[in-house]
C-alpha cells in the first residue's frame, strides 16, 4: 500500500447562468415543425365563428369582412381544382385560414388583443461583446471564469478547503469572498461532479455545480478579472487539458 | 286563422254572453309573439344557447375532407417521419452518453473523496431527494423579457 500523502483539497464552483431564450432550431427541426403544423391545419375542424361572434353584431361583420371567401359551387361550371365542398364557409379540401381583423390605428391600440411587440434577442452586450455582462448570448448557458492574479490562468473559481465545512459551502462562501454578497445562487447538489488533479502542487480540485438566479458578480479585489462565457468560448481561454476534462459538464 | 281562434269565434257567435267574451280575450293572448317564437323556432333562448355550445363540440359539418395521399406522397411522408425519428435517436444517444460520462465523473470524485477525507465525504453524501427548484429560476421563453436580469439582490439577514 502506498503511503498516504496529505493532499490539499480545493472546491471549484461551476457557476452557470441558464439560457433566457429557448435555443435556436436547426434547419431540419424548423422544416419538420412547419410540415407537421401544415398537416395539422389541413386536418383541423372548421372554426365555429358563430359561437364567438353574435349574429348581427359589428364584431361579427368585421370578422366576416376580413375572411377570404372560398369559391362556391355553381351549376354548369367546370372546376379544375375539384368541385367546391363548402360547409360553414370553409372549403373542406384545404386548410382554413382564420384572419383576425386588425385595427386601423395599431399604435393607439391598448386592448388585450393588440399585437405583441417582441424584444430583441441580440442585446447591447452582444453588440459590444461585453463578456462581463450577464445579458449576453441569451440562447446559451454562460459560465463564470475568473483570474485572481494577473499572471494566473483563466479558471472556474476555486477555493481551498481548510475548515470542516462541506465542499459546496466552501465554494459558495468563497464566491462571495471574491465577488461580493449581492449574488443569489442555487447549489445544484452537495456532491462534487468531477475531480481534477493539479499537475503543479498535487492538489485535488472538486467541482460543484451552481446556478446564478439574481444579482451579479462584482469583484471585491482590484486584480480579479472575470468573464461570463459560453461553452464554446471557454475553449479559447482555458488550457486544452482543462477544457477536455470539464467540457462534458457544461451545457450548450 | 288559427284553429283555436276559429273555434272560439264559432262558439262566441252563438251567444253574446259577456262572460264568453272575457274568456275569449284571455285566450287570445296565447297567440302573442314572444322572444322565444320570434324567429320561428320553438326553443327558448337558453335552449338555443345549449344547442350552439353542443354544436361547437360536435364534428358534424366541421370535419374537413379525408386526406388521401398518393403513393408518392405517402412515401414522402414516411421518409420525413423516419428522418425525424433517426434524428431524435441521435439526440437521445448523445444525451445518454453525456449523462453516463457525468455519472462516472461523479462516482470517481466521490470515491476519491472517500479515500482522502472520509469526514468530508460524509458531508457530501447526504441524501438530497425532495430538493426543489427555487422560485427565482426562470424557464427559457421564446423572446427575452423587458428586464433581462435582476441586478439588485440583497441577501436575507439570518
Amino acid at each position: 500500500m502506498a503511503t498516504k500523502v496529505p493532499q490539499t483539497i480545493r472546491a471549484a464552483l461551476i457557476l452557470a447562468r441558464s439560457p433566457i431564450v429557448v435555443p435556436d432550431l436547426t434547419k431540419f427541426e424548423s422544416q419538420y415543425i412547419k410540415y407537421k403544423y401544415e398537416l395539422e391545419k389541413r386536418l383541423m375542424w372548421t372554426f365555429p365563428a358563430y359561437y364567438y361572434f353574435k349574429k348581427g353584431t359589428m364584431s361579427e361583420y368585421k370578422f366576416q369582412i376580413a375572411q377570404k371567401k372560398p369559391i362556391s359551387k355553381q351549376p354548369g361550371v367546370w372546376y379544375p381544382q375539384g368541385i367546391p365542398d363548402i360547409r360553414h364557409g370553409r372549403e373542406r379540401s384545404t386548410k382554413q385560414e382564420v384572419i383576425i381583423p386588425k385595427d386601423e390605428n395599431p399604435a393607439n391600440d391598448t386592448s388585450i388583443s393588440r399585437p405583441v411587440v417582441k424584444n430583441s434577442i441580440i442585446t447591447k452586450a452582444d453588440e459590444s461583446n461585453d463578456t462581463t455582462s450577464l445579458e449576453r448570448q441569451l440562447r446559451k448557458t454562460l459560465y463564470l471564469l475568473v483570474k485572481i492574479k494577473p499572471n494566473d490562468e483563466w479558471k472556474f473559481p476555486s477555493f481551498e478547503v481548510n475548515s470542516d465545512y462541506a465542499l459546496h459551502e466552501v465554494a459558495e462562501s468563497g464566491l462571495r469572498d471574491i465577488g461580493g454578497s449581492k449574488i443569489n445562487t442555487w447549489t445544484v447538489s452537495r456532491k462534487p461532479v468531477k475531480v481534477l488533479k493539479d499537475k503543479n502542487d498535487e492538489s485535488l480540485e472538486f467541482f460543484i455545480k451552481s446556478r446564478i438566479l439574481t444579482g451579479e458578480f462584482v469583484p471585491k479585489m482590484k486584480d480579479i478579472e472575470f468573464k461570463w462565457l459560453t461553452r464554446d468560448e471557454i475553449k479559447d481561454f482555458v488550457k486544452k487539458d482543462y477544457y477536455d476534462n470539464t467540457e462534458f459538464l457544461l451545457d450548450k | 286563422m288559427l284553429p283555436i281562434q276559429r273555434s272560439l269565434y264559432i262558439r262566441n257567435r252563438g251567444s253574446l254572453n259577456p262572460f264568453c267574451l272575457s274568456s275569449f280575450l284571455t285566450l287570445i293572448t296565447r297567440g302573442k309573439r314572444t322572444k322565444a317564437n320570434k324567429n320561428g323556432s320553438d326553443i327558448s333562448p337558453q335552449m338555443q344557447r345549449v344547442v350552439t355550445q353542443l354544436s361547437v363540440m360536435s364534428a358534424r359539418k366541421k370535419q374537413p375532407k379525408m386526406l388521401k395521399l398518393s403513393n408518392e406522397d405517402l412515401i414522402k411522408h414516411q421518409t420525413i417521419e423516419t428522418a425525424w425519428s433517426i434524428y431524435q435517436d441521435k439526440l437521445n444517444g448523445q444525451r445518454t452518453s453525456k449523462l453516463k460520462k457525468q455519472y462516472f465523473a461523479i462516482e470517481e470524485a466521490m470515491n476519491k473523496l472517500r479515500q482522502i477525507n472520509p469526514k468530508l465525504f460524509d458531508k457530501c453524501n447526504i441524501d438530497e431527494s425532495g430538493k426543489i427548484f427555487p422560485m427565482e429560476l426562470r424557464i427559457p421563453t421564446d423572446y427575452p423579457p423587458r428586464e433581462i436580469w435582476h441586478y439588485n439582490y440583497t441577501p436575507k439577514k439570518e
Side-chain angles (χ1 to χ4, degrees), chain A residues 7 23 48 67 94 104 106 122 177 214 237:
Chain A
Q7 278 173 311
Q67 304 312 305
T94 56
E104 287 101 36
I122 293 161
D177 288 343
T214 46
F237 283 89

Side-chain angles (χ1 to χ4, degrees), chain B residues 137-152:
Chain B
L137 201 63
R138 267 180 55 90
I139 294 166
T141 46
D142 283 354
Y143 288 91
R146 284 199 199 97
E147 196 189 343
I148 295 172
W149 194 257
H150 300 288
Y151 289 100
N152 47 352

Side-chain angles (χ1 to χ4, degrees), chain A residues 4 7 9 17-22 26 28-29 32 35-36 39 42-46 48 50-51 83 85 87-88 90-93 118-121 123 133-135 138-139 161 164-167 181-184 186-195 204 206 209 211-216 231 247-252, chain B residues 52-53 55-69 73 76-78 80-81 83-84 87-88 91 98 101-103 105-110 112-120 123-128 131-134 136-155:
Chain A
K4 238 183 183 178
Q7 278 173 311
I9 299 173
R17 189 225 56 187
S18 321
I20 287 165
V21 180
V22 290
T26 61
F28 177 60
E29 279 168 349
Y32 180 77
Y35 174 72
K36 289 298 262 191
L39 207 60
R42 164 67 179 79
L43 297 173
M44 217 147 75
W45 287 5
T46 305
Y50 56 88
Y51 177 68
I83 298 159
D85 182 6
R87 292 265 175 90
H88 279 309
R90 183 244 176 117
E91 171 58 54
R92 287 180 67 226
S93 62
K118 293 159 186 167
N119 293 330
S120 170
I121 293 167
T123 56
S133 169
L134 280 160
E135 297 182 5
L138 301 184
R139 286 195 193 277
V161 182
D164 277 346
Y165 288 110
L167 289 174
S181 62
K182 288 191 173 179
I183 190 164
N184 187 9
W186 179 67
T187 320
V188 177
S189 172
R190 313 163 68 101
K191 296 176 181 68
V193 290
K194 172 84 189 163
V195 59
L204 284 173
F206 288 89
K209 268 190 175 180
R211 286 189 178 255
I212 181 167
L213 305 171
T214 46
E216 61 180 326
R231 187 180 66 182
E247 177 263 335
F248 68 97
L249 302 169
L250 312 176
D251 289 321
K252 206 175 167 187
Chain B
T52 314
Q53 281 176 356
S55 86
V56 166
M57 287 183 279
S58 91
R60 209 178 94 84
K61 285 189 171 183
K62 287 207 292 295
Q63 271 182 334
K65 255 187 195 161
M66 218 174 98
L67 197 62
K68 281 177 188 153
L69 297 178
D73 283 347
K76 270 184 194 169
H77 176 77
Q78 284 164 351
I80 291 167
E81 292 295 340
W84 181 253
Y87 177 67
Q88 289 301 314
L91 289 188
K98 194 178 174 180
K101 225 174 161 186
Q102 288 181 348
Y103 174 78
I106 295 170
E107 200 180 33
E108 191 203 338
M110 288 298 270
K112 194 86 191 169
L113 196 62
R114 186 173 9 204
Q115 273 177 25
I116 56 166
N117 197 333
K119 228 174 161 184
L120 215 53
K123 273 179 185 155
C124 290
N125 199 25
I126 292 169
D127 183 23
E128 283 172 297
K131 190 175 182 177
I132 50 164
F133 289 106
E136 297 95 325
L137 201 63
R138 267 180 55 90
I139 294 166
T141 46
D142 283 354
Y143 288 91
R146 284 199 199 97
E147 196 189 343
I148 295 172
W149 194 257
H150 300 288
Y151 289 100
N152 47 352
Y153 167 78
T154 36

Side-chain angles (χ1 to χ4, degrees), chain A residues 63-75:
Chain A
F63 178 78
Q64 293 299 349
I65 284 291
Q67 304 312 305
K68 279 181 197 160
K69 295 280 182 297
I71 296 162
S72 57
K73 190 185 167 189
Q74 302 288 344

